[in-house]
């Protein structure tokens, strides 16, 4: 004991408390009751937000920007007709659905393009011609200034005056007899976010004529799982009630994902926590064969309660992923009470002394695990940081309960302490060399396959995508093209004008590089004041000289022939002489075009961003590498985002592994101060990691964001078992302790194994990879450490 | 041509007299059992931008609650129909598919449809919201509608809607603009609640 003065503190605690056990029990009960009370108001968060990067890194910024994309918060309902369904039936169904979208769940629903819905729109279109008058427009107008063209236009207008439409046409005809407003109207094609879509009776119709689309706006936030569930149920009810048989409706929206993920994760939670609790409890009872085994099980159970309560004291809500991680915590935190139980089970020893002795591996194992989890606090994923907090609290509580409370419970309560067998018969005696050869072969093969490991930064793989949603996604993509997969360019300025100027430059740059039709941009219809000045100047110059006189004469002469009075077009001639009005955002909105601007302009406190959409191709993305950042344009694309996350993933993985390994090496070095023991203690970690990545490489399982958590777990559990086993073999091999280590390993295996029962990809992925790691950790701790220890002793 | 001054005598606003309410109620009652209407129309537009008035003739059809067809046969065939939210406009022969659109999403079509439906159905709630109603003649009744909104009153001075209790339908509509321009529509040979041919509103 003299070498372990610090650990003798626990003997001291044991001795002091043994006279006041009742206070200890009361205090413990009080803590558990308080934490249970905190849990009464638990707010669970099932959305994907904690799994996404935050902070100021590039991936986090890209993600925040991606959420501003048009359609990102909308609900899309695709109506597909059968072979005999008429297009009219489809659009009728869409109309009926749109009309039913009333109430608090919906703010707007459209089945066709939102055409300017204001009587001033046409007037606005005419007024905006000078401000958008480009070089190309000048050429087009010049072509219209022929006798034949003007004659045909005026005759058409004369006929229209007799129709009901003509009741409202007069002011427009007077101010724009040449129909120059079509120039502006053509520019509106740049605001059509679904270019492959066709129109039938002003409804969205797919190219094959078999699908129509209803686009719905909702006030329900996509992160609101309860609201999303109610919204989806309400929508589904409306569809069932309204859409006639023979027309299939499929719905996609972020809300559907939120609902699916929340539902799955809730059911996973029940499965995982109940299965892991029962399995761990049965394992403990099977090994310990005493009612006192229940006391051992009480430690991880209490840990779960206290860790969740502790997390809730730090965070407003706890992520469902974190709660599901409770099964992992159950599996890890029971290692310490199990070890204490086995140590105290030997009657010949003085419990006070045993507590001091067992404190060394338990405390070191626990602290090393805490430090390993601590590495995750550096993560830029809030979910991973919360997991770290949850695990650190859990392991800390487990250590306190195991070393301070449990020994008293085990010693003071009546009953015998048993375990599965007092003989070593449970362990087959295999030749050491065979173990080592097998181990070397497995490690060698794993290292060889580890090179094939692929990192995947696609967050979608962590999302629950039910078959129905997957089918709907696929269907909508087939029918309408990947319009939601555009790359988005953000032109950012300190105010609207500076952002518009950048947007103008961007449009000019883009139209030289990619077909103009592929660019969705506000620039052609809402240029900056600077560009407008240039356009207005061009307009004024065009109409200042012979063109004006020529067109005046042409209109008067041809107008006269068509029956128009000589003063009919005076307003137009006055427009040519007047100072053209500026195009303003307010005017844009007043003309009924607010919906478009809302989709493509975002304003924050001190900056304005204008969105431009372009195809998300490699060549487009490469146009906006870091060299163009100085232009004030930032490109965000799903492809680039995946790349960024993958890159960050590799970087994080290397950093975490490096840091965690550094932590455990320092920790075991302080504990053992012996190079041989240090290396031996690290063997389970190294074997677990190598086996894990090797098997993943071999089987083609990709490494995702949550496998980082899995890696940390493998390191944490591996170092625990390594420390326990090295302590055991170096203090003279004790079979009882080995049983404890085996049971600890098995409960971890079971606790983590239940994660593989999860349907949620993130949880399932952690489960599978950690199980792979533990397949390397547990055998190497139980067999390789004793074998290598024995081998080196024999050699010596 | 009708002018506002012609209605200064004996004019009674909606709020001004119980007899006005009585006239409106009678008109309302009269049209309540009208399920469809078929009528010839004659439109004359006197516009300052034209040297001569524009005269057009054709046929108007209405079917309860939201179908209408305005078909010009002379001088240049063309037409416009509304069926609930759907609208279609054609030039030349009716077989020309023309262009279809949603009424809600076409401001001009909506304006036209709203006006015609309001007159046809004697929807005085809708009318009262937008116009000050003045009864200019009691029998046959004639109503003067003065726009309340600034946007409309910038161009339109007032409308005159003439009704015939016998025919159970509007006999004339006059649109008088601020500029002095006017549009005069007269309905004749009106047939109420007769069978209308199928596909008339498609």
């Amino acid at each position: 004991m003299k070498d372990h003065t610090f650990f003798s503190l626990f003997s001291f605690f044991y001795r002091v408390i043994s006279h006041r056990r009742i206070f200890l029990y009361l205090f413990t009960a009080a803590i558990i009751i308080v934490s249970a009370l905190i849990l009464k108001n638990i707010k669970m968060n099932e959305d994907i937000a904690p799994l996404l990067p935050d902070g100021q890194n590039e991936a986090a910024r890209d993600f925040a920007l991606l959420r501003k994309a048009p359609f990102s918060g909308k609900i899309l309902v695709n109506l597909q007709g059968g072979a005999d369904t008429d297009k009219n039936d489809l659009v009728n169904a869409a109309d009926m659905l749109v009309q039913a979208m009333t109430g608090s769940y919906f703010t707007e629903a459209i089945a066709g393009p939102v055409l300017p819905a204001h009587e001033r729109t046409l007037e606005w279109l005419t007024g905006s011609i000078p401000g958008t008058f480009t070089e190309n427009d000048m050429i087009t107008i010049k072509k219209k200034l022929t006798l034949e063209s003007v004659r045909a236009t005026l005759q058409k207008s004369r006929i229209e005056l007799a129709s009901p439409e003509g009741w409202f046409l007069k002011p427009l005809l007077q101010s724009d007899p040449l129909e120059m407003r079509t120039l502006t109207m053509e520019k509106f094609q740049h605001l059509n976010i679904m270019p492959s879509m066709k129109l039938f009776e002003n409804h969205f119709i797919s190219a094959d004529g078999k699908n129509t689309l209803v686009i719905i706006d909702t006030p329900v936030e996509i992160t609101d799982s309860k609201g999303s569930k109610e919204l989806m149920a309400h929508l589904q009810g409306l569809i069932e009630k309204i859409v006639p048989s023979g027309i299939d409706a499929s719905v996609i929206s972020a809300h559907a994902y939120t609902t699916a993920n929340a539902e799955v994760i809730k059911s996973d939670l029940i499965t995982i926590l109940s299965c892991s609790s029962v399995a761990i409890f049965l394992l403990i009872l099977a090994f310990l064969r005493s009612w006192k085994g229940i006391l051992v099980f009480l430690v991880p159970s209490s840990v779960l309660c206290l860790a969740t309560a502790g997390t809730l004291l730090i965070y407003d809500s706890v992520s469902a992923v974190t709660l599901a991680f409770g099964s992992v915590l159950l599996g890890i935190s029971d290692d310490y009470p199990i070890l204490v139980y086995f140590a105290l089970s030997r009657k010949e020893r003085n419990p006070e002394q045993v507590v001091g002795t067992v404190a060394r591996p338990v405390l070191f194992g626990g602290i090393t695990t805490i430090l390993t989890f601590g590495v995750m606090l550096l993560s830029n994923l809030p979910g991973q940081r919360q997991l770290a907090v949850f695990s650190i609290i859990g392991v800390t509580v487990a250590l306190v309960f195991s070393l301070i409370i449990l020994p008293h419970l085990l010693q003071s309560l009546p009953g015998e302490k048993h375990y599965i067998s007092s003989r070593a018969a449970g362990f087959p005696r295999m030749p050491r060399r065979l173990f080592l050869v097998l181990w070397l072969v497995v490690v060698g093969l794993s290292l060889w396959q580890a090179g094939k490991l692929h990192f995947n930064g696609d967050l979608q793989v962590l999302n629950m995508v039910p078959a129905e949603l997957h089918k709907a996604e696929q269907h909508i993509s087939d029918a309408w093209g990947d319009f939601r997969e555009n790359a988005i360019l953000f032109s950012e300025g300190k105010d609207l004008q500076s952002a518009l100027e950048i947007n103008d430059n961007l449009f000019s740059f883009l139209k030289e590089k990619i077909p103009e039709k592929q660019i969705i941009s506000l620039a052609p219809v809402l240029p900056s004041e600077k560009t407008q000045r240039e356009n207005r100047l061009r307009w004024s110059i065009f109409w200042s000289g012979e063109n004006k006189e020529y067109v005046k004469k042409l209109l008067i002469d041809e107008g006269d022939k068509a029956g128009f009075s000589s003063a009919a077009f005076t307003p137009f001639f006055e427009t040519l002489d007047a100072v053209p009005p500026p195009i303003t955002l307010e005017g844009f909105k007043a003309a009924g075009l607010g919906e478009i601007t809302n989709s493509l302009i975002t304003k924050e406190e001190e900056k304005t961003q204008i969105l431009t959409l372009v195809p998300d191709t490699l060549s487009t993305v490469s146009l906006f590498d870091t060299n163009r950042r100085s232009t004030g344009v930032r490109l965000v694309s799903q492809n680039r985002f995946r790349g960024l996350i993958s890159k960050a993933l590799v970087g994080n993985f290397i950093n975490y592994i490096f840091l965690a390994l550094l932590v455990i090496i320092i920790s075991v070095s302080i504990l053992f101060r012996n190079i041989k023991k240090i290396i031996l203690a690290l063997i389970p970690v190294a074997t677990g990691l190598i086996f894990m990545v090797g098997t993943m490489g071999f089987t083609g399982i990709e490494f995702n964001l949550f496998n980082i958590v899995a890696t940390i777990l493998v390191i944490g559990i591996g170092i625990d078992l390594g420390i326990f086993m090295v302590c055991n073999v170096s203090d003279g091999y004790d079979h009882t302790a080995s049983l404890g280590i085996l049971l600890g390993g098995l409960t971890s295996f079971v606790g983590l194994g239940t994660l593989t029962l999860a349907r949620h990809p993130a949880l399932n992925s952690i489960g599978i990879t950690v199980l792979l790691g533990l397949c390397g950790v547990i055998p190497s701790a139980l067999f390789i450490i004793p074998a290598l220890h024995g081998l080196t002793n024999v050699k010596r | 041509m009708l002018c506002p001054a012609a209605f200064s005598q004996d004019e009674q606003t909606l709020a001004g007299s119980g007899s006005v309410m009585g006239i409106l109620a009678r008109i309302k009652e009269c049209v309540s059992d009208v399920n469809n209407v078929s009528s010839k129309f004659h439109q004359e537009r006197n516009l300052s931008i034209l040297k001569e008035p524009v005269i057009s003739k054709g046929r108007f059809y209405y079917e309860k609650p939201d179908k209408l067809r305005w078909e010009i046969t002379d001088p240049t065939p063309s037409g416009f129909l509304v069926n609930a939210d759907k609208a279609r406009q054609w030039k030349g022969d009716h077989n020309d598919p023309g262009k279809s659109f949603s009424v809600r999403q076409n401001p001009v079509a909506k304006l036209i449809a709203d006006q015609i439906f309001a007159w046809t159905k004697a929807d005085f709630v809708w009318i009262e919201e937008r116009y000050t109603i003045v009864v200019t003649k009691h029998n046959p009744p004639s109503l003067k509608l003065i726009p309340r909104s600034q946007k409309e009153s910038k161009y339109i001075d007032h409308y005159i809607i003439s009704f015939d209790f016998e025919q159970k339908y509007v006999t004339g509509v006059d649109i008088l603009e601020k500029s002095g321009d006017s549009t005069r529509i007269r309905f004749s040979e009106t047939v109420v609640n007769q069978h209308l041919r199928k596909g008339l509103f498609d």
Side-chain angles (χ1 to χ4, degrees), chain A residues 92 113 115-116 118-119 123 158 161-168 170 174 201-202 560 563-565 568, chain B residues 43 45 48-51 54 56 70 72 86 89 91 100 102 104-105 107 111-112 151 155 177 179 181 185:
Chain A
N92 281 338
L115 293 179
H118 197 284
E119 57 265 33
E123 199 181 315
R158 172 75 169 71
L161 280 173
S163 69
E165 188 189 7
W167 299 344
F168 306 93
K170 194 183 79 177
Q174 286 188 284
E201 298 201 345
N202 207 45
D560 183 59
F564 288 96
S565 65
Chain B
Q43 177 186 266
R45 301 197 73 194
S48 58
I49 62 168
L50 295 174
K51 291 188 288 186
V54 193
S56 56
W70 187 278
I72 299 170
K86 283 186 277 183
Q89 192 179 14
K91 298 213 163 62
S100 298
S102 158
R104 278 183 303 167
Q105 293 168 353
L111 270 173
I112 297 165
K151 274 177 208 160
Y155 299 104
E177 298 179 24
S179 63
D181 288 355
I185 307 164

Side-chain angles (χ1 to χ4, degrees), chain A residues 445-643:
Chain A
L445 285 173
S446 300
L447 278 173
W448 174 44
Q449 292 297 317
K452 295 179 183 172
L453 183 67
H454 182 251
F455 289 82
N456 188 347
D458 189 356
L459 292 169
Q460 205 58 29
V461 299
L462 301 176
N463 225 342
M464 179 71 203
V465 185
E468 199 181 321
L469 260 179
H470 180 71
K471 199 176 140 200
E473 283 274 3
Q474 191 58 47
H475 186 77
I476 287 180
S477 175
D478 290 346
W480 304 97
D482 289 330
F483 61 91
R484 294 176 306 150
E485 292 290 315
N486 275 323
I488 310 167
L489 291 150
F490 289 84
S491 303
E492 188 174 304
K494 63 181 189 316
D495 53 29
L496 178 68
Q497 281 312 316
S498 56
L500 284 172
E501 275 179 35
I502 294 165
N503 195 44
D504 290 344
N505 293 336
L506 172 66
F507 185 75
S508 305
F509 171 76
L510 280 173
K511 68 179 187 183
E512 301 294 323
K513 307 286 178 187
I514 56 176
E516 204 175 318
K517 280 186 176 176
Q518 293 181 357
I519 310 167
I520 308 295
S521 172
L522 269 176
V525 285
L526 184 61
S528 65
E529 278 173 7
K530 183 173 169 249
T531 309
Q532 283 189 50
R533 275 196 298 276
E534 290 165 10
N535 290 340
R536 287 197 295 262
L537 184 66
R538 186 178 295 113
W539 168 268
S540 301
I541 292 169
F542 182 79
W543 291 114
S544 62
E546 58 183 29
N547 281 336
K548 186 167 76 175
E549 296 311 315
Y550 172 71
V551 83
K552 267 187 179 180
K553 187 172 183 311
L554 202 58
L555 278 171
I556 291 169
D557 290 352
E558 288 307 308
D560 183 59
K561 286 176 195 165
F564 288 96
S565 65
S566 57
F569 308 115
T570 305
F572 172 62
F573 303 140
E574 284 169 359
T575 307
L576 299 184
D577 293 328
V579 177
I583 306 167
T584 61
L585 186 59
E586 291 70 32
F588 213 83
K589 286 181 177 170
L593 301 161
E595 176 70 21
I596 297 165
T597 52
N598 289 345
S599 297
L600 298 176
I601 299 177
T602 68
K603 277 185 183 171
E604 286 171 21
E605 278 175 13
E606 286 180 353
K607 62 182 178 187
T608 300
Q609 292 167 324
I610 317 274
L611 280 69
T612 295
L613 309 183
V614 288
D616 192 357
T617 59
L618 204 62
S619 58
T620 317
V621 171
S622 65
L623 291 172
F624 294 89
D625 53 17
T626 46
N627 298 335
R628 277 194 64 83
R629 289 284 163 77
S630 56
T631 58
V633 176
R634 183 183 176 88
L635 178 132
V636 180
S637 89
Q638 290 284 358
N639 285 336
R640 200 179 85 107
F641 183 63
R642 280 177 207 128

